């Protein structure tokens, strides 16, 4: 399976046990790793195997004289002599180091060279009758100034350790690593050579803490998957010990080197110590239910004992050590933050020289963001141009250069006027950045579920007569029967908050409903928009209904009504579908997986790629995006009530079982059950790009998961008898989603079918679902009129003082109702960062070249290869559909192709690609 390539590096290795170096040269070779179809990114493996004076380390080599094979494949000596085995220890250094760090490296090399830096214990799967635990041999890592690997892997270095193994040692199952240095290091892998069926791989991909920070050694297991009941006796205790080492008990402040996973509520979004205006309620609990986040243990704020004290930028928020960004990702994210800074610096300074924030005055102001950048050039903006006279600003501009200009968004790149048209407004409900809220209209009249005693009549002002006027002779009953009426309903989610939202400065919003008709020619047409305001002590509930008029005045009012709908859609997208349903809901799954599933557990190995970077990106979001005064509050309609809106949606809408794509489509009436179709459902609208492509990806994930689960749970009762698995699922329900723990809809976990369904939902959420609603943010949202994130004015009515101004200059009324330049550029900068793929992104169906030995199971590797090939086929299917004129929602003049669920992507803002995990 693993063939040898040319030598990569050699270094002197001293003997174990404190003996003097013999000067013997140990050659490190690169192991050939199996290909996983055409999807791996081709960086190549850096795995090394050692060949010493004999060839015992090489898989293809002849059996050494002192060894012969036994049934188990472990050492079977032909004499009583002990056996010499070797370990290759692969460590990753920083790619770009300061001079001081390079000097520290030289000292580390020296300390390791004399065997005083890293200690390794090799632990057998067999029991030592004296200690009643696994047999142990110990050695120190040695090697004098090891040379790095060539070219792109120059930051990866390797050491060796020699072990003298007793003849009855058995098969190695784990290693303990002790770091005697004063600082941590990143361990990629340990490979043990010299055993008959070796080499044995111990994938680590982890930070090894210094012994001065934590006296406990780290346990690394072999890449063999074991259910708890199958764990070899010699490492069974280690399995339990390793799990205990990373579980928190809800106490203590976490330190940067910790690997502790524990739960907490969202009680650190506010900063009452800084300002009373920044105080925020606790999100999570009976009053405001929410998924749990990773606990940091910071002390409470001085002003409010229920609020955790905050850590502000640039200081990091704690996440378990292995959850932090790797260097490439950190650099990419930092560049994104720099871009956001440069984008926002200039308009922020402009505001300081102006009496108020500056609205867009004409559409060409928006175009300048892409054509000219943020440099004001018009004569009537001379006040702003004062900004550019100082030396400091010139330096900023010189340093910023290309950062100050935005890329033309995909939505206007082909057709700059597409956003104006009704069919594009409707198309984006099926093929935009938020295609997960449209649902079929099942009954008339449209009714609210809110308390009528508080919010007034539940019946919508969109009447049957009004709809039938737009249907050209078809009755409402017939349209409903034929599944031709659809709705975007943001009435109930927003109406309870509208009064508070509209009391915020510069915010005016409605609760909205939009009804669409699916025509015989195959496209959606918006029929009517209802915009509602809640009742107040001085006035009853107000409901305004708008249709597309042919008169100039009604035409502009219709544009304003659509803008308010888009603003609501943007808020629900960001706070509910994006943040809540993917980021926040994934966090408890990740915490529970680390706390309850051993790294040896096959389900841990399956889920591990889908957990990468999520806790870190969520911590950064709590620090800068969803916090009090953060970007979301500053840029979206709900303002300071944003997380309360998200909590209300979790309470009323979120169900784990309906997060499966087929179940969600059926719930919304966008599909019906049909056993003859793939996934057992048939789409009501065939040309629904998100659903059609999503079902392809969902079915591939489901097939992969089912085949994987079958491999390990083929025996009856194997799921119910798996104690780690049962504890994992119970913890997700009872701790991770504690506020929903008593809901009757939680799936049971009794069979392999139950398990496959649960795992498919988790993997789909982390990969396909997040990709579909995240990576289109800049392509669709960065042109402000297409997708305003907030509105600053209500639609003028005939008795309003501003109505005459609207008649005189409707364009100015429209633009002044949108976000200001500062608000818009803030959102654009953040959307640009969130839509960017990092160069080290790991995509669905791919394996990181440094993690290729993730499991020692040929059948699983073949199944994964089949999964990877299926994703390649899906990519081709989607590309064909995007060129097929039959699909009007994904092809046509000026229409950007729907690529958000194409599995692969390059780095940058591509509008495509499905990462394994929620990594941005």
């Amino acid at each position: 399976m693993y063939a040898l390539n040319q030598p990569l590096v050699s270094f002197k290795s001293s003997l174990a046990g404190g003996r003097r170096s013999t000067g013997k040269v140990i050659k490190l070779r690169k192991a050939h790793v199996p290909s996983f179809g055409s999807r791996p990114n081709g960086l190549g493996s850096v795995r090394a195997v050692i060949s010493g004076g004999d060839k015992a380390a090489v898989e293809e080599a002849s059996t050494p004289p002192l060894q012969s094979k036994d049934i188990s494949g472990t050492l079977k000596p032909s004499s009583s002599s002990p056996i010499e085995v070797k370990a290759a220890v692969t460590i990753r250094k920083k790619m770009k180091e300061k001079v001081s760090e390079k000097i520290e490296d030289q000292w580390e090399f020296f300390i390791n060279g004399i065997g005083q830096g890293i200690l390794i214990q090799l632990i057998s799967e067999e029991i030592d009758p004296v200690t009643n635990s696994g047999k142990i041999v110990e050695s120190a890592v040695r090697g004098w100034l090891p040379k790095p690997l060539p070219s792109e892997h120059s930051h990866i270095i390797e050491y060796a350790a020699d072990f003298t193994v007793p003849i009855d040692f058995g098969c190695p199952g784990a290693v303990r690593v002790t770091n005697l240095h004063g600082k941590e290091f990143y361990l990629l892998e340990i490979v043990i050579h010299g055993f008959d069926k070796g080499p044995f791989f111990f994938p680590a991909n982890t930070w090894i803490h210094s012994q001065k920070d934590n006296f406990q050694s780290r346990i690394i297991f072999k890449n063999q998957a074991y259910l708890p009941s199958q764990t070899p006796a010699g490492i069974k205790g280690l399995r339990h010990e390793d799990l205990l080492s990373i579980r928190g008990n809800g106490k203590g402040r976490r330190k940067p080197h910790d690997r502790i996973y524990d739960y907490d509520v969202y009680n650190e979004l506010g900063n009452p110590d800084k300002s009373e205006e920044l105080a925020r309620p606790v999100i999570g609990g009976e009053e405001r239910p929410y998924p749990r986040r990773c606990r940091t243990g910071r002390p409470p704020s001085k002003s409010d004992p229920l609020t955790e004290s905050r850590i502000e930028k640039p200081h990091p928020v704690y996440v378990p050590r292995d959850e932090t960004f790797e260097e490439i990702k950190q650099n990419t994210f930092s560049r994104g933050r720099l871009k956001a800074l440069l984008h926002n610096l200039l308009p922020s300074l402009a505001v300081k020289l102006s009496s108020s924030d500056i609205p867009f005055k004409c559409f060409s102001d928006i175009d300048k963001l892409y054509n000219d950048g943020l440099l004001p050039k018009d004569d009537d903006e001379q006040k702003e141009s004062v900004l550019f006279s100082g030396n400091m600003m010139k330096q900023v501009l010189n340093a910023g250069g290309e950062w100050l200009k935005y890329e033309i968004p995909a939505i206007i790149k082909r057709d700059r006027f597409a956003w104006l048209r009704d069919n594009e407004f409707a198309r984006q409900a099926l093929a935009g950045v938020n295609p997960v809220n449209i649902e079929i209209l099942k009954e008339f009249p449209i009714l609210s579920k809110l308390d009528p005693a508080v919010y007034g009549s539940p019946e919508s002002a969109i009447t049957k007569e009004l709809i039938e006027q737009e249907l050209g002779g078809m009755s409402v009953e017939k349209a409903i029967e034929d599944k031709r009426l659809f709705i975007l309903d943001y009435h109930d989610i927003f109406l309870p908050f509208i009064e508070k939202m509209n009391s915020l400065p510069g915010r005016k919003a409605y609760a909205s409903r939009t009804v669409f008709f699916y025509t015989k020619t195959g496209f959606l047409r918006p029929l009517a928009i209802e915009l509602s305001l809640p009742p107040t002590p001085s006035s009853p509930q107000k409901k305004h209904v708008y249709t597309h008029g042919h008169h100039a005045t009604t035409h502009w009012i219709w544009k304003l009504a659509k803008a308010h709908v888009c603003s609501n859609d943007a808020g629900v997208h960001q706070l509910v579908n994006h943040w809540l349903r993917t980021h926040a809901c994934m966090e408890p799954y990740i915490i529970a997986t680390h706390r309850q599933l051993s790294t040896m557990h096959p389900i841990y190995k399956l889920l591990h790629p889908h957990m990468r970077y999520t806790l870190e990106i969520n911590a950064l979001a709590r620090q800068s995006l969803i916090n009090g005064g953060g970007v979301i509050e500053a840029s979206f309609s709900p303002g300071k009530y944003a997380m309360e809106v998200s909590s209300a949606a979790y309470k009323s809408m979120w169900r784990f079982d309906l997060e499966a794509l087929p179940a969600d489509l059926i719930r919304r009436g966008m599909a019906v059950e049909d056993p003859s179709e793939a996934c057992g459902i048939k789409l009501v609208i065939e040309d629904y790009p998100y659903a059609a492509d999503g079902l392809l990806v969902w079915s591939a994930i489901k097939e992969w998961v089912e085949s994987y689960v079958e491999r390990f749970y083929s025996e009856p009762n194997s799921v119910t008898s798996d104690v780690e698995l049962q504890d994992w699922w119970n913890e997700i329900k009872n701790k991770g989603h504690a506020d929903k723990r008593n809901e009757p809809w939680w799936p049971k976990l009794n069979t392999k079918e139950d398990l496959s369904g649960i795992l498919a939902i988790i993997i789909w959420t982390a990969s396909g679902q997040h990709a579909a609603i995240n990576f289109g943010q800049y392509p669709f949202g960065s042109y402000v009129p297409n997708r305003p994130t907030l509105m600053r004015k209500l639609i003028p009515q005939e008795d309003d003082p501003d109505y005459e101004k609207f008649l005189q200059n409707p364009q100015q009324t429209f633009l002044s109702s949108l976000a200001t330049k500062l608000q818009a550029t803030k959102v654009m900068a953040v959307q640009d960062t969130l839509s960017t793929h990092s160069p080290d992104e790991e995509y669905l169906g791919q394996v990181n070249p440094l993690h290729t030995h993730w499991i020692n199971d040929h059948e699983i590797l073949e199944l994964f290869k089949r999964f990877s090939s299926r994703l390649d086929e899906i990519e081709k299917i989607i590309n064909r559909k995007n060129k097929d004129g039959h699909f009007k929602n994904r092809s046509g003049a000026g229409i950007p192709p729907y690529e958000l669920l194409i599995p692969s992507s390059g780095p940058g803002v591509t509008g495509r690609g499905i990462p394994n995990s929620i990594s941005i």
Side-chain angles (χ1 to χ4, degrees):
M1 188 175 185
Y2 305 108
L4 296 180
N5 287 340
Q6 73 279 9
L8 288 179
V9 61
S10 65
F11 59 86
K12 294 181 179 179
S13 175
S14 49
L15 296 175
R19 289 174 289 175
R20 246 175 122 177
S21 170
T22 62
K24 178 180 176 182
V25 175
I26 305 292
K27 293 183 178 180
L28 298 186
R29 298 178 178 268
K30 185 168 79 172
H32 173 72
V33 296
S35 169
F36 297 108
S38 59
R39 297 188 56 75
N41 58 19
L43 293 179
S45 173
V46 296
R47 298 292 186 245
V49 295
I50 300 177
S51 61
D54 60 32
K55 296 184 179 180
V58 186
E59 199 171 7
E60 291 83 353
S62 59
T63 304
L66 297 180
Q67 301 176 79
S68 61
K69 298 181 181 179
D70 67 5
I71 295 175
S72 68
T74 58
L75 295 173
K76 183 181 179 184
S78 57
S79 72
S80 60
S81 302
I83 306 300
E84 298 294 324
V85 300
K86 303 177 187 295
V89 181
T90 309
I91 292 173
R92 187 187 70 203
K93 310 297 289 186
K94 287 182 67 175
M95 295 179 183
K96 296 181 180 179
E97 293 186 311
K98 301 175 183 176
V99 173
S100 60
E101 291 172 327
K102 291 181 179 179
I103 294 173
E104 287 180 357
D105 284 350
Q106 298 303 311
W107 176 248
E108 285 184 23
F109 292 157
F110 173 76
I111 295 299
N112 288 337
I114 62 175
Q116 299 296 314
I118 304 172
L119 295 180
I120 297 179
Q121 287 184 337
L122 183 60
I123 304 168
S124 173
E125 293 182 342
E126 295 186 8
I127 287 285
D128 184 332
V130 176
T131 64
N132 203 32
S133 58
K135 300 173 184 177
I136 298 175
V137 292
E138 182 175 295
S139 179
V141 163
R142 292 180 179 271
W144 298 95
L145 299 177
K147 296 178 182 179
L149 297 180
S151 65
E152 73 269 25
H153 298 305
S154 59
H155 59 291
I156 295 175
I157 58 175
E158 295 176 333
Y159 293 98
D162 294 342
F163 296 89
T164 301
V165 180
I167 58 174
D168 60 348
F169 184 77
C171 187
V175 294
R176 278 190 188 269
V177 182
T178 305
N179 176 11
L180 303 179
H181 292 289
K183 66 175 187 178
E184 65 186 3
F185 66 86
Y186 192 87
L187 177 63
L188 281 172
E189 184 179 63
I190 296 175
V191 187
I192 306 296
H193 305 272
F195 289 91
D196 185 54
K197 281 208 170 180
F200 290 106
F201 294 92
F202 293 77
N205 303 299
T206 184
W207 289 96
I208 305 295
H209 58 258
S210 169
Q211 194 177 44
K212 73 178 181 61
D213 290 327
N214 183 346
F215 68 91
Q216 291 181 317
S217 301
R218 284 294 307 283
I219 301 168
I220 310 295
F221 294 105
K222 188 173 59 177
N223 64 341
Q224 183 69 46
Y226 291 116
L227 295 176
S229 61
Q230 299 167 341
T231 312
I235 58 173
K236 184 169 288 188
L238 295 180
R239 181 172 187 145
H240 183 62
E241 178 187 337
D242 188 50
L243 280 173
L244 286 179
S245 72
I246 60 176
R247 287 181 196 159
N249 59 4
K251 299 178 182 179
R253 181 169 183 172
R254 301 276 60 89
K255 299 172 184 176
H257 63 265
D258 282 343
R259 295 171 57 246
I260 305 299
Y261 295 81
D262 210 344
Y263 300 96
D264 209 341
V265 293
Y266 283 69
N267 61 351
E268 27 78 281
L269 301 179
N271 193 351
D273 289 348
K274 185 175 181 179
S275 167
E276 193 174 317
E277 281 297 308
L278 293 177
R280 297 292 181 270
V282 173
I283 304 296
E286 186 176 351
E287 186 176 356
R288 297 179 184 88
Y290 218 62
R292 297 302 187 255
R293 51 99 175 176
C294 188
R295 182 182 176 276
T296 67
R298 295 194 303 270
S301 65
K302 297 175 183 177
S303 307
D304 179 6
L306 297 179
T307 298
E308 186 173 275
S309 56
R310 280 188 59 77
I311 295 288
E312 303 292 356
K313 295 182 299 184
H315 304 291
V317 175
Y318 168 80
V319 293
R321 186 64 183 97
D322 290 339
E323 305 296 331
T324 56
F325 289 166
E326 295 177 25
E327 190 175 356
I328 293 175
K329 176 69 172 182
Q330 183 60 55
N331 291 341
T332 302
F333 191 77
S334 296
R335 285 197 297 271
R337 290 176 64 181
L338 172 63
K339 184 186 293 189
L341 171 66
L342 291 171
H343 278 165
N344 292 321
L345 175 63
L346 304 183
S348 296
L349 290 176
V351 170
K352 290 183 179 180
L353 298 183
S354 177
S355 58
S356 64
D357 199 354
I358 304 165
F360 293 106
K361 296 178 181 177
C362 57
F363 287 100
S364 59
D365 276 359
I366 303 173
D367 295 339
K368 287 177 183 177
L369 295 174
Y370 320 110
N371 299 329
D372 302 329
L374 294 175
L375 301 179
K377 295 182 178 181
D378 293 344
D379 293 339
D380 59 353
E381 296 186 47
Q382 286 180 354
K383 285 184 181 180
E384 295 177 50
S385 66
V386 175
L387 292 169
F388 307 103
S389 59
N391 288 332
M392 184 195 78
M393 188 53 60
K394 290 179 181 177
Q395 291 175 4
V396 170
L397 292 177
N398 289 336
E402 67 206 58
W403 300 117
L404 297 173
K405 188 182 292 187
Y406 288 93
E407 293 292 326
I408 298 175
I411 193 59
I412 60 166
K413 196 167 189 177
R414 299 183 180 207
D415 182 354
R416 61 178 300 188
F417 301 111
W419 67 276
L420 282 167
R421 293 192 289 270
D422 284 356
N423 61 347
E424 179 60 24
F425 169 75
R427 188 189 74 86
Q428 289 182 34
L430 298 171
V433 69
N434 188 43
V436 297
N437 279 107
I438 188 168
E439 49 190 308
I440 201 162
L441 187 59
K442 297 178 181 177
E443 57 186 9
F444 228 85
I446 303 167
L447 298 175
S448 167
K449 295 179 182 177
L450 298 175
D451 184 356
V454 177
Y455 298 104
S457 171
E459 190 167 319
S460 169
I462 300 176
T463 64
K464 177 181 175 181
E465 291 73 24
L466 186 145
I467 292 296
E468 289 180 344
Q469 286 176 15
E470 299 292 323
L471 292 181
M474 179 182 287
S475 69
V476 165
E477 291 80 5
K478 178 62 174 174
I480 289 176
E481 180 186 344
D482 292 350
K483 296 182 170 54
R484 305 279 289 278
L485 289 178
F486 298 84
I487 188 170
L488 277 179
D489 193 342
Y490 299 133
H491 180 275
D492 287 9
I493 190 172
F494 277 121
L495 195 65
F497 294 93
I498 290 295
E499 186 176 359
K500 292 191 289 187
M501 288 163 53
N502 287 349
S503 69
L504 299 172
R507 306 291 169 95
K508 296 299 176 190
Y510 301 93
S512 66
R513 292 186 177 106
T514 309
V515 176
F516 302 88
F517 178 68
Y518 188 61
T519 70
K520 289 184 178 180
T521 52
F523 66 88
L524 277 181
R525 179 166 63 91
L527 300 182
I529 294 172
E530 178 191 64
L531 301 178
S532 300
L533 295 173
T536 64
S538 59
S539 67
Q541 183 186 28
K542 293 182 180 179
K543 300 177 182 179
H544 303 284
V545 178
Y546 303 97
T547 59
H548 181 93
H550 300 285
H551 185 268
T553 302
T554 56
H555 188 72
W556 272 104
I557 288 178
W558 176 246
K559 284 183 175 61
L560 285 167
K562 288 195 296 182
H564 275 281
V565 172
C566 289
S567 176
N568 282 356
D569 191 69
V572 171
H573 164 259
Q574 198 66 263
L575 297 169
V576 180
N577 299 324
H578 182 208
W579 170 255
L580 168 64
R581 291 178 61 191
T582 63
H583 285 261
C585 286
M586 271 300 299
E587 188 147 346
Y589 312 150
I590 294 169
I591 297 171
T593 299
H594 284 286
R595 285 167 53 91
Q596 298 298 341
L597 298 182
S598 167
T599 57
M600 284 190 285
H601 199 290
I603 302 306
Y604 178 95
K605 291 183 179 295
L606 174 69
L607 290 178
H608 185 260
H610 306 289
M611 304 188 291
R612 185 178 187 234
Y613 292 155
T614 303
L615 295 191
E616 171 82 341
I617 199 65
N618 285 5
L620 290 167
R622 297 197 306 274
Q623 189 176 43
S624 303
L625 292 180
I626 63 171
N627 60 302
V631 173
I632 299 299
E633 287 193 0
S635 307
F636 287 79
S637 289
K640 64 188 291 185
Y641 306 105
M643 286 300 288
E644 293 182 60
V645 171
S646 189
S647 170
Y650 178 71
K651 181 178 183 178
S652 64
M653 297 165 51
W654 187 83
R655 288 179 49 162
F656 179 88
D657 60 329
L658 297 184
E659 292 302 291
L661 178 59
D664 174 63
L665 292 170
I666 290 172
R667 176 186 65 84
R668 291 190 281 123
M670 300 304 292
V672 294
E673 294 186 20
D674 187 341
S676 67
E677 295 284 334
C679 298
I681 65 171
K682 182 177 182 179
L683 294 177
V684 171
I685 297 178
E686 180 190 4
D687 188 12
Y688 183 3
Y690 158 76
D693 296 357
L695 287 172
L696 292 174
V697 176
W698 167 268
S699 63
I701 291 171
K702 191 81 181 329
E703 182 182 352
W704 154 238
V705 168
E706 287 173 345
S707 60
Y708 186 98
V709 167
E710 175 65 32
R711 176 77 175 91
F712 294 100
Y713 292 94
S714 57
E715 298 298 320
N717 303 319
S718 54
V719 170
T720 53
S721 63
D722 185 336
V723 291
E724 286 183 7
L725 189 69
Q726 293 298 325
D727 288 345
W728 168 77
W729 184 233
N730 287 331
E731 186 164 293
I732 285 174
K733 295 183 293 183
N734 296 317
K735 289 187 176 181
H737 287 271
D739 301 328
K740 295 267 190 176
R741 61 185 177 275
N742 295 322
E743 296 287 355
W745 40 252
W746 283 104
K748 305 294 184 185
L749 183 52
N750 297 324
T751 67
K752 60 188 178 184
E753 290 78 18
D754 295 340
L755 177 58
S756 296
I758 290 167
L759 293 172
I761 289 174
I762 292 174
I763 294 174
W764 161 254
T765 300
S767 56
Q769 180 69 358
H770 179 258
I773 57 180
N774 180 72
F775 292 104
Q777 289 192 79
Y778 188 85
F780 284 97
S782 57
Y783 186 68
V784 183
N786 181 64
R787 196 167 177 78
T789 56
L790 61 82
M791 297 294 284
R792 299 193 301 133
K793 294 180 180 180
L794 297 177
I795 296 177
Q797 303 299 314
E798 290 187 16
D799 55 350
D800 291 342
D802 290 339
Y803 190 74
E804 189 62 33
K805 291 182 180 179
F806 162 66
L807 294 178
Q808 294 296 323
N809 193 339
Q811 175 179 289
Q812 187 176 30
T813 298
F814 181 86
L815 290 173
S816 64
S817 299
L818 305 179
T820 63
K821 289 184 180 180
L822 174 58
Q823 291 167 328
T825 53
K826 269 188 179 180
V827 171
M828 291 167 71
V830 171
Q831 288 174 334
D832 185 68
T833 299
L834 297 182
S835 301
T836 298
H837 289 292
S838 174
D840 74 336
E841 198 81 87
E842 297 176 8
Y843 296 96
L844 195 63
Q846 295 184 0
V847 172
N848 186 319
L850 299 178
H851 302 170
T852 47
H853 299 140
W854 63 284
I855 194 168
N856 181 28
D857 190 309
H858 179 73
E859 183 176 333
I860 291 295
L861 295 177
E862 286 299 312
L863 291 172
F864 185 84
K865 184 177 179 181
R866 189 169 72 189
F867 173 53
S868 178
S869 298
R870 175 57 182 156
L871 291 170
D872 283 335
E873 293 173 11
I874 289 171
E875 190 159 320
K876 294 173 183 175
I877 292 170
I878 294 173
N879 284 330
R880 284 199 301 268
K881 284 186 174 182
N882 285 337
K883 296 177 182 178
D884 187 342
H886 174 70
F887 297 106
K888 296 179 175 61
N889 288 320
R890 62 198 313 156
S891 65
I895 293 177
Y898 188 78
E899 297 182 327
L900 289 171
L901 284 166
I902 285 180
S904 70
S905 175
V909 179
T910 63
R912 57 180 283 166
I914 306 177
N916 272 321
S917 62
I918 299 170
S919 58
I920 191 64

